[in-house]
Amino acid sequence: KTLFNVTFDLHDVSVTQPDEVTTRWTMSLKAWQLPWQPTLLFSGSSFYKVDASGTIISHRDVWDSVNNNAFLSPEGVGEVLRQLLQVQLTPELETPAYTVLKAARGYELRRYQPFIVAETAMPRGSTPAGGAGFTELASYIFGGNSQQESMEMTTPVFTRSPTQVAAGGVTDSSSGAGEVTMQFVLETKFTDVDELPQPNNRNVRRKQLPGSYCAAARVGGVPFDWEVKDAERRLREALARDGLHAKPGYRLARYNEPW
């Protein structure tokens, strides 16, 4: 038996020098023997030197989350310990599929697969950290629909800032540009919006979300509005530090009950 269950995603392999091959990868290690079962997440590049016969003669790994990549550097050891001691328990429920392309200092870059949501506008004056709208969406998935069908609860519950709705690129009659909206992710057994029963509540909409790229930062506990805004500020600062530019707005993903 081992301490970690390891998952390794290879994103790219390229010849960067006549005698060098470079790979991009993400690796997750679940410490399943610890009571809180933390998952350590690293991404980076590996540089392989090869000789004339194509045999690898040396290799060097570089993590995205640290500056000092020397073997057993204090920064590297500190990053491992930080993730090992991080206690974040989330429900074992179905969630949208995504791949972490980069695990950097303070954020992750993720590629999400398409998924379907049920959505409702929150009352005027609501903020993304609020809980208004939860009852309407819960009613829909627990039988408040044309087929009286109960669906499984999933994670997370999304709320979107009005700036993000306006910046989504396409404005249609089903979503107001100035709304704060709440979304429930629906089970992956539904592959098309037309397979879903009609909501009894006309304020609940069904929507297919396309695949997308996003930057994500983790916030523990039940966040207040000021904590959400502070997390957005720190996330944008981290992205700017690495030369990345993010669109306006944000989406709050909650893995606990938003009431």
Side-chain angles (χ1 to χ4, degrees):
K1 292 184 177 181
T2 61
L3 178 59
F4 299 105
N5 288 338
V6 180
T7 302
F8 190 88
D9 290 319
L10 181 62
H11 306 306
D12 183 67
V13 179
S14 58
V15 177
T16 47
Q17 299 287 341
D19 63 344
E20 182 182 80
V21 175
T22 301
T23 64
R24 282 286 307 167
W25 47 265
T26 302
M27 178 174 61
S28 65
L29 305 94
K30 184 172 184 177
W32 63 276
Q33 294 192 42
L34 296 178
W36 61 98
Q37 297 190 352
T39 297
L40 286 69
L41 186 65
F42 301 96
S43 69
S45 300
S46 295
F47 303 91
Y48 299 89
K49 288 294 184 181
V50 296
D51 62 18
S53 68
T55 301
I56 296 173
I57 56 177
S58 68
H59 100 274
R60 177 172 60 94
D61 295 327
V62 175
W63 293 357
D64 293 324
S65 55
V66 299
N67 290 321
N68 185 353
N69 276 277
F71 181 66
L72 290 180
S73 71
E75 186 182 9
V77 172
E79 177 64 11
V80 171
L81 292 176
R82 182 190 69 80
Q83 294 195 44
L84 263 180
L85 299 176
Q86 185 170 261
V87 180
Q88 288 187 339
L89 301 178
T90 57
E92 293 292 331
L93 299 174
E94 188 175 343
T95 193
Y98 66 87
T99 300
V100 176
L101 302 176
K102 183 177 182 179
R105 285 180 294 145
Y107 67 93
E108 298 172 8
L109 290 183
R110 299 176 178 177
R111 181 178 62 225
Y112 273 87
Q113 299 297 316
F115 58 95
I116 298 174
V117 298
E119 175 185 89
T120 191
M122 298 167 70
R124 185 179 298 275
S126 297
T127 61
F134 186 91
T135 301
E136 290 85 347
L137 294 175
S139 175
Y140 171 64
I141 70 168
F142 294 140
N145 55 67
S146 59
Q147 298 178 19
Q148 298 183 342
E149 178 179 354
S150 290
M151 307 173 217
E152 294 294 331
M153 191 66 189
T154 61
T155 58
V157 173
F158 286 113
T159 45
R160 302 195 301 170
S161 68
T163 307
Q164 183 188 10
V165 175
V170 176
T171 301
D172 59 42
S173 60
S174 67
S175 182
E179 294 176 336
V180 178
T181 58
M182 178 175 285
Q183 297 172 330
F184 276 16
V185 178
L186 299 180
E187 300 171 73
T188 54
K189 73 178 185 180
F190 300 108
T191 58
D192 190 274
V193 169
D194 292 335
E195 298 176 1
L196 292 162
Q198 290 280 353
N200 292 344
N201 187 334
R202 66 178 61 187
N203 294 323
V204 174
R205 305 179 286 254
R206 304 161 301 163
K207 183 177 291 186
Q208 172 82 55
L209 300 185
S212 62
Y213 293 86
C214 76
R218 297 174 184 266
V219 180
V222 179
F224 295 98
D225 289 317
W226 67 267
E227 291 177 300
V228 174
K229 294 299 296 181
D230 186 60
E232 181 194 13
R233 176 189 59 78
R234 288 185 280 107
L235 174 56
R236 291 185 179 279
E237 289 176 352
L239 293 170
R241 175 198 70 209
D242 291 346
L244 299 173
H245 176 70
K247 293 180 179 179
Y250 63 88
R251 177 180 289 169
L252 175 64
R254 286 179 282 193
Y255 292 81
N256 48 4
E257 296 82 357
W259 51 64

